Amino acid sequence: MLSTMQDGPLSMAQLVRYGTTAHGDSKVTTWTGVGSRRMSYAELGRRAAQLAHALRGLGVTGDDRVATFMWNNTEHLEAYLAVPAMGAVLHTLNIRLFPDQVTYVANHAEDRVILVDASLLSLFGPILPTLTTVRHVVVVGRTGTGDQALPAPKGVRVHDYEELLAGQPERFDWPEPDERSAAAMCYTSGTTGNPKGVVYSHRSIWLHSMQICMTDGMALRQSDRALAIVPMFHAMSWGLPYAAMLVGASLIMPDRFLQPGPLAEIFAAERPTLAAAVPTIWQGLLLHLEAVVPPDRPSPLSTLREVMVGGSACPPALMRSYYERYGTHITHAWGMTETSPLGSIARPPVAASGHSEWEYRFSQGRLPAAVRGRLIGKDGTEVDWDGRTEGELEVRGPWITGAYYRDDDPEKFHDGWLRTGDIGTLSPDGFLRLTDRAKDVIKSGGEWISSVELENHVMTHPAVLEAAVIGIADERWSERPLVAVVPHEGQHVDAEELRQFVAARVAGWQVPENWTFVPEVPKTSVGKFDKKRLRALYADGQLDIVRIG
Ligand code: AMP
């Protein structure tokens, strides 16, 4: 028997219509470095319509790709709304990739139009001649330095964003495409090999946005002022922009002001209720606040109901510090570009309190009902959800990718499941605890050592700012851990003290004997520890190793 229910498409058109009318009074705020500029969602809707008309005028039809090379700002949000709602495909380019990776990605996606922030022109200019499918570049914002005279290769026209929008109609007859068609695409940050394209559908964005807004998701709501620090090119800013349209949450965009000092100013001026970023951002902000805000001054974080963290494992010490100093919980979430990205979120069960509540918070959390997970053990069979047995996490669900865009990668898919490359356990009540990336786990004498667990222990030492652990070849054990330590400025700690500190916390055979002190841990294009570069530094003999024990 078929249901009697109607079947309305979950389209971006409806999301945009709804967000910009029902929530027309909500606002997007962009930080300018000295203050902020605000726009209502009603105005945003009118400008998105103008942008859509302008893009049609440039010949954008069907599923043409319109790319962005931009910071998080109002105009980027306009593109987020206009491009998918007009039926085209939004491609958010990662401005921090190496230039030849940007070239690869833009050519692979066959981007036709690229919107570029004027402040990024010096980065973008040298890349433009290598882009084979781009016909129009639209420069957003004025630099006042004559930068807009971007030399255009033959066949490419350069436009000014505001001039393009001026005079365009403020309404657009948004089409209703098949909800399963492409709406947006993002490439993985590609630490190994070329980045891979993930294409989100209208339907997957809708369902994922609903999950973000669920109480046990990010609980995004109308009264929120959400500070989206996570870039709009990093897994669609973790879904915040589209989810905001669903519930009318206001958005605060930091533009290019991502250093701890400017972020602290944004917090003080805009008083966000929610903020999302990778752990390294929160680490930097904490140090800054400790240094500049006297303990008797009101905290600039007092309006924050919570902080969302993901992208890499959040050190427990960091979570505790925010709670103890600012009363703010850092909520741990796990996800990937491939998973839209919300894959799990750490909301402790109601009955948990004290130590057990913290243990749940430190985990990567529960998978939502729509996302199925399983763990595949070393022998290729599924392991139990017993909270102890490790395996590689595989997931499937309506906002999990089932393939890469025009890129066969059978290794990453397994009978319709996405192989995440993340190793961990699942507890009987569905909590995921990741111990490592499959490629980072250290295989020592047939046993596995979690690099993340060692890092977390080292980072609880008061003299340590950052610590990253990689496996290095060892004749006897095949691999042993090497710890790269960044001490806090002005503090001294030696390898022996750290070794003893770790020895009190892990089994004897896991205690690292190889240590190195570095000024900074290299970071990836989205702010994670770049272990590939650390391994290269080691292989090139550029690290001074202290061997003890
Ligand atoms: P990306 O697609 O750049 O967001 O990278 C996804 C990868 O980041 C995942 O496969 C994990 O290895 C890692 N990751 C994301 N969130 C977490 C987390 N909360 N804890 C540990 N690793 C994480």
Side-chain angles (χ1 to χ4, degrees):
M1 186 165 93
L2 284 179
S3 82
T4 59
M5 292 298 108
Q6 298 181 5
D7 194 5
L10 299 173
S11 70
M12 293 303 296
Q14 174 59 9
L15 195 75
V16 170
R17 251 192 317 264
Y18 181 78
T20 58
T21 52
H23 296 299
D25 289 339
S26 299
K27 296 202 170 40
V28 51
T29 299
T30 298
W31 190 248
T32 64
V34 286
S36 50
R37 50 191 178 98
R38 277 180 231 292
M39 187 183 285
S40 71
Y41 284 1
E43 174 70 2
L44 187 73
R46 291 192 284 273
R47 288 184 42 99
Q50 290 184 307
L51 174 58
H53 282 291
L55 291 171
R56 278 274 188 268
L58 298 183
V60 171
T61 55
D63 60 3
D64 277 349
R65 264 71 77 201
V66 176
T68 52
F69 193 79
M70 299 173 78
W71 303 105
N72 288 18
N73 54 35
T74 305
E75 292 75 14
H76 205 164
L77 188 61
E78 288 167 4
Y80 254 59
L81 302 193
V83 176
M86 72 186 281
V89 181
L90 176 77
H91 176 199
T92 54
L93 288 163
N94 181 341
I95 61 172
R96 297 214 180 87
L97 288 181
F98 292 114
D100 56 349
Q101 284 183 315
V102 177
T103 302
Y104 170 82
V105 162
N107 289 344
H108 187 264
E110 296 175 296
D111 297 336
R112 273 189 77 77
V113 177
I114 302 196
L115 274 54
V116 186
D117 271 330
S119 58
L120 292 168
L121 282 181
S122 54
L123 200 60
F124 180 74
I127 300 174
L128 180 57
T130 67
L131 306 181
T132 52
T133 59
V134 171
R135 295 291 162 262
H136 299 277
V137 175
V138 183
V139 179
V140 182
R142 290 164 210 269
T143 58
T145 60
D147 257 358
Q148 281 181 45
L150 180 71
K154 198 162 171 283
V156 177
R157 288 181 56 204
V158 179
H159 311 264
D160 174 87
Y161 186 78
E162 292 303 332
E163 281 171 17
L164 210 57
L165 262 61
Q168 298 286 357
E170 293 183 346
R171 290 179 71 86
F172 191 93
D173 190 13
W174 304 115
E176 293 287 353
D178 181 335
E179 65 175 15
R180 288 182 164 77
S181 62
M185 66 193 303
C186 227
Y187 280 69
T188 59
S189 42
T191 47
T192 47
N194 276 324
K196 306 251 184 332
V198 174
V199 184
Y200 309 110
S201 65
H202 292 248
R203 174 185 156 86
S204 74
I205 290 175
W206 251 92
L207 296 173
H208 179 262
S209 302
M210 289 167 82
Q211 183 65 40
I212 297 272
C213 298
M214 279 178 71
T215 314
D216 282 346
M218 292 190 195
L220 192 73
R221 60 193 79 155
Q222 194 209 325
S223 56
D224 270 327
R225 293 185 305 280
L227 174 59
I229 303 173
V230 51
M232 291 167 91
F233 56 74
H234 183 200
M236 311 303 285
S237 201
W238 298 351
L240 285 173
Y242 291 132
M245 291 298 125
L246 212 60
V247 290
S250 285
L251 288 167
I252 304 166
M253 300 300 197
D255 202 80
R256 59 188 187 278
F257 305 99
L258 299 171
Q259 297 308 313
L263 282 180
E265 286 176 33
I266 299 176
F267 274 101
E270 297 299 330
R271 316 299 286 162
T273 57
L274 182 81
V278 292
T280 45
I281 294 272
W282 299 116
Q283 182 75 56
L285 184 70
L286 181 70
L287 281 180
H288 174 83
L289 293 178
E290 278 175 357
V292 303
V293 182
D296 54 343
R297 288 279 302 282
S299 154
L301 307 186
S302 60
T303 51
L304 264 186
R305 66 171 170 79
E306 73 186 319
V307 156
M308 289 294 155
V309 77
S312 49
C314 183
L318 190 63
M319 290 192 195
R320 281 198 185 271
S321 298
Y322 269 83
Y323 188 65
E324 282 157 15
R325 287 171 214 180
Y326 302 110
T328 300
H329 269 307
I330 291 188
T331 299
H332 205 192
W334 166 84
M336 310 168 71
T337 304
E338 290 88 332
T339 66
S340 290
L342 190 62
S344 67
I345 188 156
R347 302 260 175 229
V350 275
S353 62
H355 175 77
S356 130
E357 184 188 340
W358 277 108
E359 285 303 313
Y360 279 112
R361 288 188 171 279
F362 298 154
S363 82
Q364 274 70 13
R366 267 191 184 124
L367 276 57
V371 178
R372 288 169 62 197
R374 67 179 187 187
L375 295 172
I376 304 297
K378 286 181 201 166
D379 64 357
T381 62
E382 219 176 312
V383 305
D384 288 342
W385 292 29
D386 59 10
R388 286 191 313 274
T389 318
E390 287 188 357
E392 179 183 354
L393 176 68
E394 296 189 350
V395 288
R396 62 183 302 165
W399 58 83
I400 312 293
T401 200
Y404 289 117
Y405 176 62
R406 286 180 35 216
D407 205 334
D408 259 353
D409 196 350
E411 284 286 288
K412 287 288 297 203
F413 301 95
H414 181 190
D415 301 337
W417 295 73
L418 170 74
R419 294 182 62 184
T420 65
D422 289 320
I423 307 287
T425 62
L426 279 160
S427 62
D429 54 353
F431 277 80
L432 173 69
R433 281 184 178 72
L434 292 184
T435 45
D436 227 328
R437 296 281 298 155
K439 58 184 193 299
D440 293 337
V441 75
I442 297 148
K443 287 147 191 137
S444 174
E447 296 290 341
W448 286 6
I449 302 178
S450 158
S451 65
V452 175
E453 195 188 328
L454 289 180
E455 286 161 7
N456 285 342
H457 286 307
V458 180
M459 283 192 278
T460 52
H461 189 286
V464 175
L465 173 61
E466 284 179 343
V469 176
I470 54 170
I472 58 172
D474 182 277
E475 262 184 24
R476 179 157 176 220
W477 303 108
S478 135
E479 264 188 351
R480 290 296 297 160
L482 163 67
V483 191
V485 179
V486 184
H488 275 291
E489 211 179 310
Q491 300 214 23
H492 178 78
V493 61
D494 64 21
E496 180 53 32
E497 181 181 339
L498 289 175
R499 198 193 67 85
Q500 286 178 21
F501 185 81
V502 175
R505 290 165 172 79
V506 301
W509 59 274
Q510 298 191 352
V511 179
E513 48 287 282
N514 305 295
W515 299 78
T516 183
F517 291 83
V518 290
E520 136 175 71
V521 174
K523 307 283 184 329
T524 68
S525 63
V526 287
K528 309 180 190 195
F529 287 174
D530 190 343
K531 298 196 179 179
K532 196 177 150 206
R533 262 169 66 202
L534 202 55
R535 285 187 196 102
L537 289 176
Y538 172 73
D540 289 350
Q542 292 192 40
L543 301 177
D544 287 333
I545 311 291
V546 183
R547 216 185 132 75
I548 44 173

